Amino acid sequence: MKKKMLVLVVAVSMMMSMIVACSSKKESDVNKSENSAAPQNLNATGYPVVNEKVTLKLMGAKGASQGPWDQMMFFEEMERITNIHFEFDTPDSKVFQEKKNLTFASDNLPDVFFAGSLTTFDQINYGKQGLLIPLEDLIDEYAPNFKALMDENPDIRRAITAPDGHIYALPQVSDIIRDMMFFRTYLNAEWMEALGNPQVPQTTDELLELLKRFRDEDPNKNGKKDELPLSFINVKNDSLNIPRTYIMPAFGVLEDRPNQSRLQVSEDKVSAVFMSEGYKEFLKYMKTLHDEKLLDPEIFTHTDQQLKAKGQEGLIGMTTHAAPFSVFKVEKPEDNEKYPLVMPLTSSMNSEKLFTPRPNITIGTFAITKNNPHPEATMRWVDYLYTPEGFMLGNQGIEGEAWKWKDDSKNEWVRITPEGMNKEEFRAQNTPDIGSTIPLLKSMELNYKQNDLVNNILNKQADELSQYAQDAMPLLFLAEEEESRANILKNDLMNYIAQMEAKFVLGKESFDNWDAYLSTLKKMNVDEYVEIYQNAYDRWKDIN
């Protein structure tokens, strides 16, 4: 009897489950039919993505050098492949953040953010409000290429997963070593030749001696004391950003570039770089360069254009930039190889060569909003950009119009540029990948197949440098309340640290007051700041 009752209960339970499931499915189907025609119009595999063309509204940050997005071959070809058309709202990148915030505040949302520069705060805040939709289920169902990428590299999932467990935006991912080894340090080839081609410095002491020779021996041979032995770009009004990347590691200290927190993690413990002994010794070294008149006195004020002008005039002996031609007067492409690359240095307090690479994951490049009537189709659209074909289209443009294979072996490709046009100017007309950070998998294999002499030289140099690369900290996702508090603390801390850096280097503050500097940081709640990132790091380790 009990057995029969048990069978009956199970049968009734199964029937009720089926009824609930059917009811839920009908409700889901109704919602889908009300909010999206995509499932009925969608091709789950193959192309086009949709049989009948759909139109979506897209908002993205337009780079200054770019042409109109609605005229770019990238979007035109993507429409041909997928049958998805976009209407564009592309504010200039300088005002994009403000326009983006107004868009969210007014609830006047596009369907898609592309090159959206969505911060972790944007993703958490607007995801929680339901303005950005979670993407993980769409990824599982409609983005096989991106899903495979995350499965292959778990750090990608960790970097884009919010503390609430959702993914609200897709990243750009690059396995091109040169992208990660961006900003390399070069010596002036003509000056080195004038000095009899001395050895490229290996230590901070050797660098000091070479820079003194640049100062004293008139290597530009104009009979004037106008040489600037060391100069570099003032990145984001942070004049020591570049030397902290290239010179500071010589003192055993690495700085977090992905999160720009100026922290580092060692043996799972987060600490403040700007309070370490290595950092103090780095500042002393920079003060020596300043006192010895080896440092360009305008590093705290000049623009990138002014830096390049000095280089073109033959006034700079050593600099850090993307390539020699970016600063020095390089006559022929092959001459870029003449400019010696300075490898990471060592010092009396650190014997290991270290270099902090740029992150290979850039978050927040693509998101789907609640207004999007075709989220499934949109996910299939963007997933194409995580394929080799999508990379070439997104990075260069249409095959046969912007680039071509040299022969049927497909071992080398070359760029196609109309006569009288600069290569990068033409590329900026073809794709937003130059000047904007778009969702894309940048392929080293394909990049290295480019038949371009300068590209080959820079790739070779990046390969050499990469053997010394070491991350200070992974890309972390702070919770909303953590982000809010960390930003408040960071703003005050970074302003104070920047002021003190300049004062220590320029001799306006004595290193005898170092303890007072540390004490002030303590009063500014630096311990709380470090703890926030420690908690975020601990969570990062636990994400599968």
Side-chain angles (χ1 to χ4, degrees):
M1 182 67 177
K2 289 183 179 179
K3 186 175 181 181
K4 287 182 180 180
M5 285 296 294
L6 180 60
V7 171
L8 180 60
V9 169
V10 171
V12 171
S13 298
M14 290 177 64
M15 187 177 300
M16 290 300 295
S17 298
M18 290 173 65
I19 292 170
V20 171
C22 290
S23 175
S24 300
K25 184 177 186 304
K26 285 180 181 178
E27 184 178 345
S28 174
D29 288 344
V30 168
N31 288 338
K32 283 185 178 180
S33 63
E34 287 178 353
N35 299 324
S36 171
Q40 290 76 32
N41 189 29
L42 179 72
N43 292 315
T45 60
Y47 295 96
V49 169
V50 289
N51 295 315
E52 296 181 15
K53 183 172 293 187
V54 299
T55 297
L56 299 173
K57 295 178 180 179
L58 179 151
M59 184 177 186
K62 181 177 178 293
S65 63
Q66 296 169 2
W69 283 19
D70 61 356
Q71 297 176 24
M72 284 183 173
M73 64 169 66
F74 165 73
F75 287 109
E76 291 176 352
E77 181 68 2
M78 283 297 288
E79 180 174 338
R80 188 193 68 78
I81 294 170
T82 65
N83 220 10
I84 296 175
H85 174 76
F86 287 108
E87 295 175 351
F88 296 96
D89 180 8
T90 55
D92 185 273
S93 56
K94 293 180 180 178
V95 299
F96 178 77
Q97 293 298 330
E98 180 182 353
K99 293 285 185 69
K100 178 187 68 178
N101 293 339
L102 288 172
T103 296
F104 278 115
S106 64
D107 202 14
N108 183 27
L109 295 170
D111 298 310
V112 170
F113 282 100
F114 181 92
S117 300
L118 293 157
T119 65
T120 54
F121 182 80
D122 289 337
Q123 295 172 52
I124 298 167
N125 185 34
Y126 301 124
K128 182 182 72 174
Q129 295 179 41
L131 303 180
L132 299 177
I133 67 171
L135 302 179
E136 58 273 9
D137 291 342
L138 290 170
I139 292 170
D140 287 342
E141 188 72 22
Y142 299 107
N145 298 301
F146 184 71
K147 186 176 186 300
L149 190 62
M150 286 199 299
D151 291 342
E152 182 181 336
N153 182 358
D155 282 352
I156 298 172
R157 186 182 297 275
R158 290 190 180 111
I160 66 175
T161 300
D164 64 6
H166 290 305
I167 295 172
Y168 293 108
L170 300 186
Q172 180 181 106
V173 180
S174 176
D175 65 3
I176 299 174
I177 292 176
R178 194 172 89 219
D179 286 353
M180 292 176 270
M181 304 298 117
F182 196 70
F183 281 142
R184 293 166 292 279
T185 297
Y186 297 97
L187 296 168
N188 188 317
E190 287 74 21
W191 289 21
M192 292 291 281
E193 186 176 351
L195 299 182
N197 288 315
Q199 178 181 327
V200 175
Q202 303 292 316
T203 69
T204 52
D205 288 342
E206 290 175 4
L207 174 60
L208 189 62
E209 292 308 309
L210 178 63
L211 295 177
K212 287 179 180 178
R213 293 191 66 187
F214 284 166
R215 178 194 63 191
D216 298 335
E217 299 182 29
D218 191 27
N220 64 5
K221 297 187 179 299
N222 65 358
K224 301 177 183 178
K225 282 279 187 180
D226 58 355
E227 285 83 2
L228 301 170
L230 174 60
S231 189
F232 38 79
I233 185 174
N234 185 354
V235 179
K236 296 181 180 178
N237 296 317
D238 182 358
S239 51
L240 292 189
N241 180 291
I242 293 299
R244 286 202 308 271
T245 299
Y246 224 101
I247 297 177
M248 190 173 70
F251 300 94
V253 182
L254 297 174
E255 192 168 83
D256 171 29
R257 295 182 75 180
N259 308 284
Q260 298 181 339
S261 67
R262 300 198 60 181
L263 305 173
Q264 67 175 353
V265 62
S266 178
E267 297 181 350
D268 292 333
K269 182 175 176 57
V270 176
S271 63
V273 169
F274 45 82
M275 300 178 74
S276 67
E277 281 300 307
Y279 173 71
K280 179 181 178 182
E281 291 305 310
F282 159 70
L283 291 181
K284 286 182 176 180
Y285 185 79
M286 296 304 295
K287 182 179 186 301
T288 299
L289 296 181
H290 172 265
D291 292 348
E292 293 284 347
K293 301 190 184 314
L294 305 174
L295 202 58
D296 183 346
E298 294 183 336
I299 62 164
F300 292 96
T301 56
H302 69 188
T303 64
D304 192 28
Q305 288 73 22
Q306 290 169 325
L307 172 72
K308 291 178 181 179
K310 295 172 188 177
Q312 295 292 303
E313 292 174 30
L315 300 179
I316 295 175
M318 174 172 147
T319 193
T320 301
H321 220 289
F325 69 80
S326 300
V327 177
F328 298 116
K329 190 174 183 179
V330 180
E331 300 290 347
K332 296 177 292 185
E334 58 267 27
D335 288 345
N336 282 280
E337 198 164 20
K338 295 194 313 183
Y339 291 79
L341 176 69
V342 182
M343 288 290 140
L345 305 170
T346 59
S347 69
S348 58
M349 68 181 301
N350 171 55
S351 60
E352 183 181 4
K353 290 180 178 287
L354 298 169
F355 178 81
T356 308
R358 264 199 338 185
N360 70 324
I361 302 168
T362 306
I363 65 168
T365 65
F366 180 90
I368 300 174
T369 76
K370 66 168 188 175
N371 289 359
N372 192 315
H374 308 289
E376 298 89 350
T378 305
M379 182 57 70
R380 284 216 58 216
W381 182 91
V382 75
D383 190 52
Y384 183 79
L385 301 183
Y386 297 99
T387 67
E389 297 80 11
F391 165 68
M392 291 304 296
L393 177 60
N395 185 249
Q396 296 294 324
I398 298 174
E399 180 180 356
E401 296 183 34
W403 66 278
K404 65 180 180 180
W405 293 107
K406 282 195 70 177
D407 53 45
D408 292 340
S409 69
K410 295 188 176 183
N411 290 322
E412 291 184 68
W413 60 270
V414 295
R415 292 166 71 167
I416 300 171
T417 307
E419 188 174 350
M421 283 199 72
N422 176 280
K423 287 182 179 180
E424 293 302 279
E425 288 176 348
F426 182 56
R427 192 162 78 92
Q429 291 184 8
N430 301 336
T431 169
D433 186 45
I434 179 169
S436 301
T437 306
I438 67 173
L440 201 65
L441 171 60
K442 294 198 166 186
S443 165
M444 182 171 71
E445 180 182 357
L446 285 169
N447 179 267
Y448 277 42
K449 287 184 177 182
Q450 182 181 359
N451 184 8
D452 180 271
L453 182 57
V454 175
N455 187 68
N456 295 341
I457 291 170
L458 298 179
N459 281 338
K460 179 182 176 183
Q461 292 175 342
D463 288 344
E464 293 177 40
L465 184 57
S466 67
Q467 63 185 304
Y468 307 114
Q470 184 173 315
D471 288 314
M473 187 183 290
L475 189 58
L476 301 177
F477 215 130
L478 303 186
E480 183 180 4
E481 62 279 4
E482 291 175 332
E483 184 96 26
S484 298
R485 182 59 178 158
N487 284 340
I488 293 170
L489 295 173
K490 180 187 286 189
N491 184 61
D492 292 341
L493 287 168
M494 297 308 135
N495 285 336
Y496 175 67
I497 295 163
Q499 293 171 12
M500 294 304 294
E501 278 184 341
K503 288 181 179 180
F504 282 129
V505 171
L506 298 177
K508 296 179 180 179
E509 186 76 46
S510 169
F511 283 98
D512 291 340
N513 297 327
W514 184 257
D515 287 343
Y517 158 75
L518 296 180
S519 178
T520 301
L521 290 172
K522 290 283 188 179
K523 293 175 183 176
M524 297 175 72
N525 298 308
V526 67
D527 291 339
E528 181 187 357
Y529 179 68
V530 171
E531 184 181 9
I532 289 171
Y533 279 90
Q534 180 71 61
N535 292 335
Y537 174 76
D538 292 341
R539 283 197 309 270
W540 174 88
K541 287 193 305 176
D542 292 336
I543 297 175
N544 295 324

